[in-house]
Amino acid sequence: MKTKPKNWTALVLFLASCIFFSCTSKDDQQDLALATTDSILQADSIKWHRLFEGGDKLTKDFLSRPVDTLFARLCMNGFQRLYRKPTNADLKVLEKAYTWAVSFEGDSLTNWLYNVRALDQGAEIRVCFGVYTKEAMDHPTARTHLNNAQRDSLIAKPRLTVILRAYKNNKPALFPNTAKPLPAYNLGSLKP
């Protein structure tokens, strides 16, 4: 019984491929695997960007500034409440509370950091997560620095944020010789 030459060709190509891949080094195989993984991650990143690319504009109307620590605490408590043990109502808020970047104005942030360092040399800076909740929007800090439309927008669609806080010895850093905590830093521009 004779076999057709094209079957031999396919068999030879198959064996050559097996020999080639078995002879490549582990490093080459890892490089190939990493290249494939990088391609997949890059494709996912592009898809993610396209999904949210309509949100390239930052909310320029927010002020990047030091804020009262009670206001910061309200936002931080809102985040913890929503993410630790959310109720059904909290889950509805979470569906709307979306932010993927917060931008702070450079000079203002630098001044705040300089003041924290000048007031308390050993302070560390913590980046804390928060949510702009109705309680936070009723606080005098929000009433002073945000107009009614901005507050109403954040009440209707709460947004995630980050709050910068100065800590020392695992406690909020204090003004020298007082029990008053140093101001937090918040109200950056949100994206989207």
Side-chain angles (χ1 to χ4, degrees):
M1 186 186 233
K2 285 186 167 183
T3 59
K4 296 181 181 176
K6 65 180 173 182
N7 290 343
W8 280 105
T9 306
L11 180 62
V12 169
L13 285 174
F14 174 74
L15 289 173
S17 297
C18 290
I19 292 168
F20 173 76
F21 283 113
S22 67
C23 291
T24 58
S25 70
K26 292 275 186 203
D27 290 339
D28 291 342
Q29 291 173 2
Q30 287 175 341
D31 289 346
L32 180 62
L34 288 174
T36 304
T37 303
D38 287 346
S39 298
I40 292 168
L41 291 174
Q42 185 177 17
D44 286 346
S45 176
I46 291 168
K47 288 177 191 173
W48 180 262
H49 178 70
R50 285 184 184 152
L51 180 61
F52 296 106
E53 112 185 320
D56 282 342
K57 298 177 187 132
L58 293 168
T59 53
K60 295 287 186 191
D61 47 358
F62 286 10
L63 304 172
S64 178
R65 60 174 298 111
V67 296
D68 181 80
T69 54
L70 180 57
F71 173 77
R73 170 81 45 217
L74 288 169
C75 293
M76 291 162 52
N77 288 347
F79 178 85
Q80 290 173 5
R81 184 186 74 235
L82 288 176
Y83 282 88
R84 281 197 174 165
K85 294 181 181 178
T87 64
N88 285 337
D90 291 337
L91 291 173
K92 289 182 182 182
V93 170
L94 281 174
E95 289 175 2
K96 298 177 183 177
Y98 176 78
T99 303
W100 71 277
V102 179
S103 174
F104 294 114
E105 194 273 320
D107 290 339
S108 176
L109 177 58
T110 301
N111 288 337
W112 179 79
L113 288 167
Y114 178 78
N115 289 333
V116 166
R117 185 172 180 268
L119 291 170
D120 194 334
Q121 294 283 330
E124 68 180 27
I125 304 301
R126 290 190 186 176
V127 179
C128 306
F129 298 99
V131 174
Y132 292 129
T133 60
K134 181 175 181 343
E135 296 83 10
M137 292 300 101
D138 289 338
H139 187 272
T141 294
R143 294 196 173 280
T144 301
H145 300 295
L146 300 173
N147 64 39
N148 288 339
Q150 291 167 326
R151 286 195 325 276
D152 290 346
S153 170
L154 291 172
I155 290 170
K157 187 175 179 181
R159 302 287 296 277
L160 299 177
T161 187
V162 293
I163 298 134
L164 305 179
R165 299 266 336 247
Y167 276 77
K168 186 172 186 177
N169 299 326
N170 215 27
K171 295 179 183 174
L174 305 174
F175 281 102
N177 303 319
T178 71
K180 184 178 178 187
L182 297 178
Y185 196 86
N186 189 241
L187 295 179
S189 298
L190 305 174
K191 183 175 182 173

